[in-house]
Amino acid sequence: MPDDVHRTVPKPSLTIDGEMRDGFVGAIGNTPLIALPKLSAAIGRTILGKAEFLNPGGSVKDRAARGIIEDFEARGMLVAGGTIVEGTAGNTGIGLALVGNARGYRTIIVMPDDQAPEKYGLLRAYGADLRVVAAAPFTNDANYYHEARRIAQATPGAVWANQFENTANRDAHERTTGPEILAQTGGSLAAFVAAAGTGGTIAGVGRALKAHDPGIRIVLADPYGSALYSYVKTGTLAVEGDSNAEGIGIKRIVANFDGAPVDDALRVDDAAMVEMAHWLVREEGLFVGGSAALNVVAAARYARTLPAGSRVVTILCDGGDRYRSRLYDAEWLRANEVVPKARDLSFL
Ligand code: PMP
């Protein structure tokens, strides 16, 4: 990408009013809350999905990216021509790269090499400086998280977004996602169900919903291979099994998740996640990623424990496009022994 693309955008003397959105950054958020009519009818409870895949960067992480960058700007740590460094499963990097392009910052994005290939392609297309490292456990110094920290420390004028420990991530959801859900439901919902990658979404939304009504249940949806289900249920971190889910599940307690007002947790296996992903596109016309499908499974299962007619809100984190070579690829499904078979919702 030519250097001049990264110049600082001059303050526009435009008139932005009515239904207009002010640039890429202004187009983040205010996503629709979509009722899932067939699923809701089948279980006798209303399941509502916050359509985060409709953010301009295609995922819920656009909100965290905006929140983190605006926080650095407000603290004077990021100035024109500056560099943002982050380690990410992909979506946070995508959000940071696009907000960065719109605001005049460079991005260095570090990713492990085991994520869906589509996400690397998107980051390269956006002009991010992408560094792919071998996937390694967090305890290994070669892990993408530690590599991002080292790069940020070695790069003059750079900031490390640090989405796991930087609570500007959670604050963005407390300030935007949570209040939007309250406005869209008239404040009337029984539960909010979401998986955690950094915990920013569940913690921030949870805080906003609890401040409105402490009776709203905040429920973690966790894949196998994550320690959070055990942490919510027993207070100790313990991992069981594994998952192909991307962007969710974590084995340690990070600042964004720490202290989140979580009442309960459900664990969902990959088979149910894949069945739901394919059911959602076939029956509801919603083409989403694995974490969104896992969220919907958990939301439906939790809703069934509540009185008939209850409303449960969850997050449709990102779209299916960026997983076409995996979750929606017949060969990949066969190789991973998760070929969807169900013609109905019996897998719930
Ligand atoms: N789903 C996907 C696809 C993601 O990339 C992420 C972020 N890592 C999440 C869900 C979880 O969001 P959060 O980091 O706010 O917990």
Side-chain angles (χ1 to χ4, degrees), residues 48-226:
L48 297 150
K50 186 78 169 138
E52 293 303 295
F53 63 90
L54 294 177
N55 277 304
S59 92
V60 65
K61 301 301 303 205
D62 286 4
R63 295 181 191 261
R66 176 177 63 184
I68 287 169
I69 286 178
E70 289 184 347
D71 179 64
F72 280 130
E73 289 174 338
R75 291 192 284 140
M77 291 171 69
L78 193 55
V79 292
T83 301
I84 304 154
V85 183
E86 183 60 324
T88 163
N91 281 333
T92 301
I94 287 168
L96 289 169
L98 295 173
V99 173
N101 285 354
R103 288 273 174 93
Y105 307 121
R106 294 170 186 281
T107 42
I108 301 175
I109 303 301
V110 186
M111 279 181 71
D113 64 0
D114 58 353
Q115 301 299 296
E118 288 87 339
K119 292 190 280 192
Y120 307 99
L122 289 172
L123 281 160
R124 291 195 179 99
Y126 301 157
D129 179 351
L130 178 64
R131 317 273 179 96
V132 181
V133 299
F138 181 78
T139 46
N140 183 333
D141 211 38
N143 174 278
Y144 71 96
Y145 174 89
H146 304 302
E147 181 63 12
R149 181 187 60 237
R150 281 190 294 269
I151 291 171
Q153 284 165 350
T155 307
V159 292
W160 177 32
N162 196 4
Q163 57 173 330
F164 293 99
E165 306 297 337
N166 181 347
T167 50
N169 167 7
R170 179 192 69 202
D171 296 348
H173 291 286
E174 186 172 8
R175 218 173 35 244
T176 69
T177 326
E180 287 171 31
I181 290 168
L182 288 171
Q184 288 167 314
T185 57
S188 164
L189 66 154
F192 174 74
V193 180
T198 62
T201 306
I202 192 167
V205 172
R207 285 158 67 115
L209 300 185
K210 289 283 191 189
H212 166 75
D213 175 0
I216 298 172
R217 313 310 287 165
I218 306 300
V219 180
L220 172 78
D222 213 29
Y224 281 83
S226 170

Side-chain angles (χ1 to χ4, degrees), residues 61 91 196-201 246-248 291 317-318 323:
K61 301 301 303 205
N91 281 333
T198 62
T201 306
E246 294 185 31
I248 56 171
S291 65
C317 319
D318 65 1
Y323 306 99

Side-chain angles (χ1 to χ4, degrees), residues 221-237:
D222 213 29
Y224 281 83
S226 170
L228 295 182
Y229 171 82
S230 155
Y231 184 76
V232 171
K233 288 294 199 183
T234 70
T236 53
L237 291 165

